[in-house]
Amino acid sequence: MSTKFNRRNFLKSTAAAAAGLTLGRLGMPAKAHASGASVKLFLGCTMSGAYASTGLYTSRGMQLAIENFGGTVLGRPIELIERDTPNPAEGVRKAQEAHERLGCNIITISPSSSTILAVSEYTKKNGMLLFGHGGSDKITGSACNPSTFRWQVPTWGAIREVVPRVISEYKAKTFYTITPKYVFGEDLLRNTKEVLADKGLKLLGNSFHSLGESDFSSHITKAMAAGADCVLFLNFGGDTVNALKQAHNFGLKQVSKIACAWGSGITQMKAIGPEILEGVIWGLQYFYKIDSPENKRLVKTFQAKYGEVPPYVTASTYATTMTLLEAIDRAGSDKPAKIIAAIEDYTYAGITGEEVYRSCDHQCIKPYYSVRCKAPSAMKTPEDFGDIIGSSANFQACGLNGCIMD
């Protein structure tokens, strides 16, 4: 983004975009003269704090999906309602406002797992539908419920792609982790410990940091003192950007290889820069180079509209909004119960290839990716930060992840 992100700019941009949503696909006329009450979709995302920069791109994903779908569904215009949900309490309050005051029962929350888990309880009690864009295993595990779906590979599967890939590529036998102290980070750490233990390898230590921490010097010096083959960063968003920049300044690469288990991809890569990222392996839910027809369509239309390739947070809400609208169309209804039935166990062509939401836990089955970042001299375009070096789909079997639908 060329302009400084703030909540006022976010609201201006999303309001302007929302005004054109019923124009339909890329400015073309909307489907068959929409009439009647709108089909309402609610987006709660973070417009402030450590993950504030993700808010605008999260919104753009939903907007572009609505446009590419044609601007209408069931012959009615699609209305997108957006609110700032910086914490669990605000998330629940805004979801309640959407349900009780605005008559909206279809909710999307991103990217905080804690907020998703809190809102999930509310949507379950009130017969709503929720797409939660977060990584915690609990979302489709021990805290699963019939109202909630999740596109993201949970931390259990992400770590089982990234850590073995790092072991193979780096020939790493010892690790040190830097982890945010909240549910998402703790899930990533727990799974890292499990994978390393299964392979007989050592975690030499871990350093917890608070969400939104600005000074990582103490964490990096501890990692350097440990002398591990690989320092694995288990954070996200601005935390990862600050941590990697400071790691570069401290010369961490001279001591250990660096990897990141989870990221937003191109957005963070631009913020960090290729000189710092050279050689880093990054685990990603999405990368714009995925070779599938639906992803090529997303990249083409996003580039045409915004002049850049789509980041992960855009792709994730684009993917779920397309799934949602197609399910509404198949169900012939915008009632949550009928939409849920239309989504469950329905295999479709998604942006990562063939995707399906299991009825047993409402988890989407899709790959997780490992990307190796390039040297600046190897980049063919300003956004050519890396290449996909592997992917895999790792999920616990239904009944083993703690999910009991009730």
Side-chain angles (χ1 to χ4, degrees), residues 8-21 59 63 80 82:
R8 180 174 294 179
N9 286 343
F10 177 90
L11 293 173
K12 285 181 178 178
S13 62
T14 54
L21 289 180
S59 171
Q63 293 172 14
L80 180 58
E82 301 181 278

Side-chain angles (χ1 to χ4, degrees), residues 139-217:
I139 295 170
T140 50
S142 60
C144 75
N145 67 59
S147 78
T148 303
F149 291 83
R150 190 249 300 274
W151 182 77
Q152 283 76 3
V153 175
T155 61
W156 192 94
I159 289 298
R160 282 159 177 81
E161 159 58 30
V162 176
V163 172
R165 194 75 57 185
V166 168
I167 293 168
S168 175
E169 295 289 329
Y170 288 168
K171 310 304 179 187
K173 295 183 179 179
T174 58
F175 285 74
Y176 189 94
T177 50
I178 295 177
T179 309
K181 183 65 175 176
Y182 70 111
V183 61
F184 165 72
E186 291 168 354
D187 277 355
L188 284 171
L189 178 60
R190 171 177 50 79
N191 283 293
T192 299
K193 289 178 178 178
E194 290 175 0
V195 172
L196 293 179
D198 287 345
K199 294 183 176 295
L201 302 179
K202 292 183 178 180
L203 180 64
L204 300 183
N206 172 71
S207 185
F208 280 117
H209 67 83
S210 60
L211 181 64
E213 188 158 335
S214 59
D215 183 2
F216 284 85
S217 58

Side-chain angles (χ1 to χ4, degrees), residues 134 165 242 400:
R165 194 75 57 185
N242 290 334
L400 297 180

Side-chain angles (χ1 to χ4, degrees), residues 105-272:
N105 294 306
I106 304 169
I107 309 292
T108 296
I109 297 290
S110 174
S112 165
S113 293
S114 298
T115 301
I116 292 164
L117 290 167
V119 173
S120 179
E121 284 298 309
Y122 179 81
T123 57
K124 173 188 173 183
K125 291 176 182 177
N126 290 279
M128 302 164 70
L129 186 156
L130 169 66
F131 272 101
H133 291 267
S136 172
D137 291 352
K138 293 181 180 179
I139 295 170
T140 50
S142 60
C144 75
N145 67 59
S147 78
T148 303
F149 291 83
R150 190 249 300 274
W151 182 77
Q152 283 76 3
V153 175
T155 61
W156 192 94
I159 289 298
R160 282 159 177 81
E161 159 58 30
V162 176
V163 172
R165 194 75 57 185
V166 168
I167 293 168
S168 175
E169 295 289 329
Y170 288 168
K171 310 304 179 187
K173 295 183 179 179
T174 58
F175 285 74
Y176 189 94
T177 50
I178 295 177
T179 309
K181 183 65 175 176
Y182 70 111
V183 61
F184 165 72
E186 291 168 354
D187 277 355
L188 284 171
L189 178 60
R190 171 177 50 79
N191 283 293
T192 299
K193 289 178 178 178
E194 290 175 0
V195 172
L196 293 179
D198 287 345
K199 294 183 176 295
L201 302 179
K202 292 183 178 180
L203 180 64
L204 300 183
N206 172 71
S207 185
F208 280 117
H209 67 83
S210 60
L211 181 64
E213 188 158 335
S214 59
D215 183 2
F216 284 85
S217 58
S218 64
H219 310 294
I220 293 166
T221 53
K222 288 177 184 177
M224 294 178 72
D229 295 333
C230 176
V231 175
L232 180 64
F233 288 84
L234 302 179
N235 45 24
F236 179 71
D239 286 341
T240 312
V241 172
N242 290 334
L244 289 191
K245 285 182 175 180
Q246 291 173 45
H248 178 75
N249 292 337
F250 274 84
L252 177 59
K253 277 187 180 179
Q254 299 172 22
V255 178
S256 305
K257 299 280 190 180
I258 295 175
C260 301
W262 191 287
S264 60
I266 197 72
T267 305
Q268 287 176 300
M269 292 173 180
K270 289 178 179 179
I272 296 167

Side-chain angles (χ1 to χ4, degrees), residues 297-316:
R297 180 189 181 201
L298 165 60
V299 172
K300 181 179 180 180
T301 54
F302 191 85
Q303 282 184 314
K305 190 174 181 67
Y306 298 110
E308 59 181 324
V309 297
Y312 150 61
V313 292
T314 292
S316 65

